[in-house]
Amino acid sequence: MKIAIPKEIKNHEYRVALTPSVVRELVARGHRVAVQASAGEGAGFPDTEYEAAGAHIEQDLDALWDNAELIVKVKEPQPEEVKRLKPSHTLFTYLHLAAEESLTRGLMDSEATCIAYETITDDEGGLPLLAPMSRVAGRMAVQAGAHSLEKAQGGAGILIPGVPGVAPAKVTVIGGGVVGENAARMALGLGADVTVLDKSLERLEVLDHRYQGRLNTVYSTADALETAARESDIVVGAVLVPGAQAPKLITRQMLGDMRPGSVLVDVAIDQGGCFETSRATTHADPTYVVDGVVHYCVANMPGAVARTSTQALTNATLPFVLALADKGWQGALAEDPHFLKGLNVHAGHITHPAVAQAFGLDAVDPKSLMA
Ligand SMILES: NC(=O)C1=CN([C@@H]2O[C@H](COP(=O)(O)OP(=O)(O)OC[C@H]3O[C@@H](n4cnc5c(N)ncnc54)[C@H](O)[C@@H]3O)[C@@H](O)[C@H]2O)C=CC1
Ligand SMILES: CC(=O)C(=O)O
Ligand SMILES: [Mg+2]
């Protein structure tokens, strides 16, 4: 299989889709891997390490894309990358299509086969290729929130742990999944007063048991969300309905009840965001203020800690990349129903029901493509 690794071009995105160690595994199985010159530099992997692992370093972008059968990336393709896709390509990357109709239409028009990391499932009901980056983003969410609480960032001027004689900040996390648990863990570590809201009692039970009374768990209702908005210094948005647009849980009206200088960190922004006033921001300009409330809505948070994130991501993607390379997309997806859930677009059709629903389109059953 001819595999291409482009350099990521999203704003301040420094991750790379394969490490030299993964390249070595692929080359040992007889695959040809072309890595765009300096693709790994931001994550601390120089071209020389890829060459030593057996990769071809490609300077010519046209040749990189035109000669590839399988393209492995980190972030959703940017418009200039979408233009390069063709029907013979298999693209394997994060896509988050429900939040981006123009990207969805672009991928359909390309007729390429597009497999999303974030909708691949596992036997435990988890999302094994989203989880490593959710761990990173959850941990970063509290760092971002703490920074945003500083006066110079528009925040209320609150130090998360307080000091003796001054109460700590109140941090509420909406959605107690992977992002939510990691955010809660960091907030607890900093000494915050932490509450987690979720609609899954099962999930709240797991957290209650795991953290032994050190955090508050609250079933997520309209009342609970209003209380969270009114009383929190930081609210982290960490909900997910896989493949679908995030529900809007904090409305513009509720901002009026929030304290001036409190902070919303919308990690769910890559699925459209779970606060009504959220819009995607970049690491270059991560925050903005609405009605006195600071919003942090960066859609590629893990890109800022590219070394850690690249290693964590590729640990999880490696077996899937090997399966695609060894068996082709049809072979790999046909024998793994969890991997098949990753198929979002093929030959101009949407193949994931939640993505199709987001745009009022019909989904083609991916099983019908496996014959
Ligand atoms: N901005 C960024 O850089 C990154 C964003 N993410 C995003 O973070 C979001 C969360 O991801 P994970 O934690 O991995 O998902 P997850 O599936 O582990 O957890 C989501 C949780 O939300 C809960 N939930 C769903 N609807 C709810 C509602 N209406 N009210 C309360 N809780 C609700 C679910 O019960 C579940 O416990 C996703 O949109 C993901 O794509 C992940 C990594 C990086
Ligand atoms: C999951 C995701 O959107 C990211 O890692 O950037
Ligand atoms: Mg994202």
Side-chain angles (χ1 to χ4, degrees):
M1 178 81 67
K2 292 183 207 148
I3 303 162
I5 309 302
K7 186 177 169 79
E8 294 297 316
I9 55 175
K10 193 172 171 125
N11 183 284
H12 284 275
E13 182 52 72
Y14 302 102
R15 285 170 287 179
V16 61
L18 300 186
T19 58
S21 304
V22 179
V23 169
R24 185 175 160 192
E25 303 273 342
L26 287 162
V27 171
R29 290 163 181 251
H31 303 296
R32 183 180 185 281
V33 185
V35 177
Q36 187 180 343
S38 80
E41 230 163 51
F45 299 112
D47 289 350
T48 48
E49 288 187 23
Y50 286 100
E51 272 177 318
H56 164 70
I57 302 298
E58 185 58 82
Q59 308 278 350
D60 179 348
L61 208 49
D62 292 335
L64 182 84
W65 285 78
D66 288 347
N67 297 334
E69 296 164 285
L70 170 63
I71 296 154
V72 189
K73 276 181 46 61
V74 178
K75 291 308 294 182
E76 71 279 359
Q78 305 300 296
E80 54 266 57
E81 294 175 317
V82 174
K83 281 191 216 134
R84 293 184 177 278
L85 284 168
K86 53 187 184 183
S88 59
H89 281 153
T90 298
L91 173 68
F92 190 39
T93 190
Y94 286 119
L95 288 174
H96 301 292
L97 293 182
E100 276 212 59
E101 183 160 6
S102 61
L103 172 61
T104 307
R105 301 269 178 198
L107 295 187
M108 291 168 75
D109 290 346
S110 78
E111 297 185 28
T113 299
C114 305
I115 307 168
Y117 293 160
E118 74 275 5
T119 58
I120 293 171
T121 52
D122 65 21
D123 283 336
E124 286 75 48
L127 302 165
L129 271 55
L130 182 62
M133 295 303 92
S134 290
R135 290 184 193 111
V136 172
R139 290 173 187 211
M140 288 181 74
V142 174
Q143 291 182 186
H147 185 59
S148 302
L149 272 179
E150 293 176 12
K151 289 302 289 183
Q153 312 306 319
I158 290 174
L159 179 67
I160 288 196
V163 288
V166 180
K170 285 190 194 302
V171 175
T172 299
V173 179
I174 310 176
V178 180
V179 167
E181 180 174 2
N182 281 276
R185 192 178 141 176
M186 286 288 279
L188 284 174
L190 283 177
D193 176 356
V194 182
T195 301
V196 179
L197 271 55
D198 203 299
K199 281 179 75 143
S200 160
L201 276 182
E202 203 184 337
R203 201 50 208 158
L204 293 178
E205 200 176 322
V206 167
L207 295 175
D208 178 69
H209 184 71
R210 220 170 258 171
Y211 293 90
Q212 296 286 314
R214 290 196 295 132
L215 52 72
N216 313 301
T217 59
V218 174
Y219 188 68
S220 187
T221 59
D223 273 344
L225 290 165
E226 280 174 13
T227 304
R230 224 175 22 247
E231 297 184 352
S232 305
D233 300 298
I234 298 175
V235 179
V236 177
V239 300
L240 176 64
V241 180
Q245 268 181 20
K248 305 291 176 218
L249 300 176
I250 302 269
T251 61
R252 169 104 199 216
Q253 201 188 353
M254 287 157 79
L255 294 194
D257 295 330
M258 293 186 73
R259 286 196 286 265
S262 50
V263 175
L264 294 176
V265 179
D266 200 344
V267 186
I269 190 65
D270 53 5
Q271 296 291 144
C274 61
F275 309 133
E276 191 181 356
T277 42
S278 294
R279 59 173 167 79
T281 57
T282 63
H283 286 293
D285 190 10
T287 60
Y288 59 94
V289 178
V290 179
D291 297 345
V293 175
V294 183
H295 291 56
Y296 176 100
C297 306
V298 175
N300 61 332
M301 295 170 72
V305 289
R307 179 85 184 167
T308 303
S309 298
T310 294
Q311 292 174 93
L313 178 63
T314 56
N315 286 344
T317 55
L318 170 62
F320 295 90
V321 173
L322 292 181
L324 283 176
D326 288 348
K327 299 167 196 166
W329 72 270
Q330 267 186 315
L333 271 51
E335 65 180 41
D336 181 350
H338 290 303
F339 202 175
L340 188 59
K341 293 253 179 65
L343 190 65
N344 275 224
V345 179
H346 170 70
H349 302 287
I350 296 186
T351 52
H352 194 288
V355 174
Q357 198 188 359
F359 305 120
L361 297 169
D362 290 326
V364 167
D365 182 353
K367 285 198 204 85
S368 70
L369 306 170
M370 292 297 111

